[in-house]
Amino acid sequence: MDISINGARILFIIPIFGGITVTETQVNSVLVLILVFALCKFLTHDMRVRDISKRQIIAEYIVTKVQSLVEANMGGKFMNFTPFIITILAASVFSSFISLIGLYPPTADLNTLIGWSLAVFVLITAQKMKTGFFRYLRGFTRPYAVLTPFNIISEVSTPVSMAFRHFGNTTSGVVISTMLYAALAVLSNLLLGWLPGALGSIPLLQVGLPAVFSIYFDLFSGCLQAFLFAMLTMLYIATADPTAEQ
């Protein structure tokens, strides 16, 4: 049995500007945004002060927990970052969850995570520039001017490390799941291949067991990677603020 593990497939090409390729990543990313938006509309519909619904309880619980997470890791002055953090968490979790229905997860495409990391990098840089652009540039020469190249490399490596960490863990889960599914197909053929007719082609071991592996690779690992990416985002932004300790 051949095993094929490829990246996002090109679905179609828009014939403008020399041809714009549209891959599974773009389409599924839009699907994730639609799912997140639909969930938000569902949970926040008909919100009340009294006699609140179970949906509102869930919505308030999620917002309260993320606010507590932001306050505990960034401090009270960074509470305005709560919407950004909850967006990262939701986008990352849903991107992993759609693989449960056989769709290509956007987080398995490095381009997606580089885009997220660059957005975080812009926020980090904005925090560092609060005391002035030239003071920010002088920061690369500290504590010694000879360390300037290393400080620049350290600055650039922040979004790179964030992107590759999330990408590596997500992609490894996709690869391992594919290999396990292929191995179960071979084992199922060894166990039942001697049976005559259609009985010998029944994929017995491929029913149920892949779902068990998905509980870890798609559910647990997906949530864990979303949490880690959000934690790193909060850590880098909070420590980048030169006025944080004032």
Side-chain angles (χ1 to χ4, degrees):
M1 179 178 180
D2 295 331
I3 300 176
S4 178
I5 301 175
N6 301 311
R9 293 182 295 111
I10 297 177
L11 300 179
F12 57 90
I13 299 177
I14 303 176
I16 58 174
F17 304 114
I20 300 176
T21 59
V22 178
T23 68
E24 289 179 297
T25 299
Q26 283 81 35
V27 174
N28 293 346
S29 294
V30 173
L31 175 60
V32 167
L33 293 178
I34 293 174
L35 291 174
V36 172
F37 176 77
L39 179 63
C40 292
K41 290 291 291 182
F42 173 75
L43 293 178
T44 59
H45 176 69
D46 192 26
M47 299 189 75
R48 305 173 184 176
V49 177
R50 297 184 178 87
D51 299 325
I52 63 177
S53 62
K54 293 181 179 180
R55 293 179 301 177
Q56 184 172 338
I57 293 175
I58 295 174
E60 292 179 355
Y61 176 80
I62 293 173
V63 172
T64 301
K65 285 298 181 181
V66 176
Q67 286 178 336
S68 300
L69 185 68
V70 172
E71 185 175 11
N73 291 278
M74 301 181 73
K77 65 177 295 184
F78 293 98
M79 294 304 295
N80 58 315
F81 281 96
T82 301
F84 182 72
I85 299 301
I86 200 171
T87 300
I88 287 179
L89 285 168
S92 183
V93 168
F94 273 81
S95 293
S96 298
F97 280 11
I98 63 172
S99 62
L100 292 173
I101 57 176
L103 297 178
Y104 183 83
T107 46
D109 191 327
L110 185 58
N111 295 303
T112 301
L113 297 170
I114 287 178
W116 294 0
S117 299
L118 288 177
V120 174
F121 182 69
V122 169
L123 293 176
I124 294 172
T125 304
Q127 291 297 314
K128 291 184 177 181
M129 287 187 180
K130 279 188 173 181
T131 56
F133 176 72
F134 293 104
R135 180 171 292 184
Y136 166 72
L137 293 180
R138 286 198 300 270
F140 290 107
T141 64
R142 297 173 181 172
Y144 305 104
V146 70
L147 297 178
T148 299
F150 299 99
N151 291 332
I152 295 175
I153 293 174
S154 176
E155 188 82 356
V156 175
S157 67
T158 297
V160 175
S161 63
M162 290 183 67
F164 275 90
R165 180 182 290 108
H166 200 325
F167 169 74
N169 284 284
T170 303
T171 305
S172 64
V174 173
V175 172
I176 293 174
S177 295
T178 303
M179 295 179 66
L180 285 173
Y181 190 80
L184 289 173
V186 174
L187 185 58
S188 181
N189 184 63
L190 290 175
L191 292 176
L192 303 176
W194 58 273
L195 294 175
L199 293 176
S201 61
I202 296 176
L204 179 63
L205 298 181
Q206 290 175 280
V207 178
L209 285 177
V212 176
F213 294 125
S214 292
I215 293 177
Y216 173 78
F217 292 115
D218 296 324
L219 296 181
F220 175 75
S221 182
C223 292
L224 178 61
Q225 295 310 315
F227 177 76
L228 291 177
F229 193 92
M231 287 294 293
L232 289 174
T233 298
M234 291 186 289
L235 174 65
Y236 286 137
I237 293 176
T239 56
D241 186 1
T243 65
E245 298 180 356
Q246 298 179 5

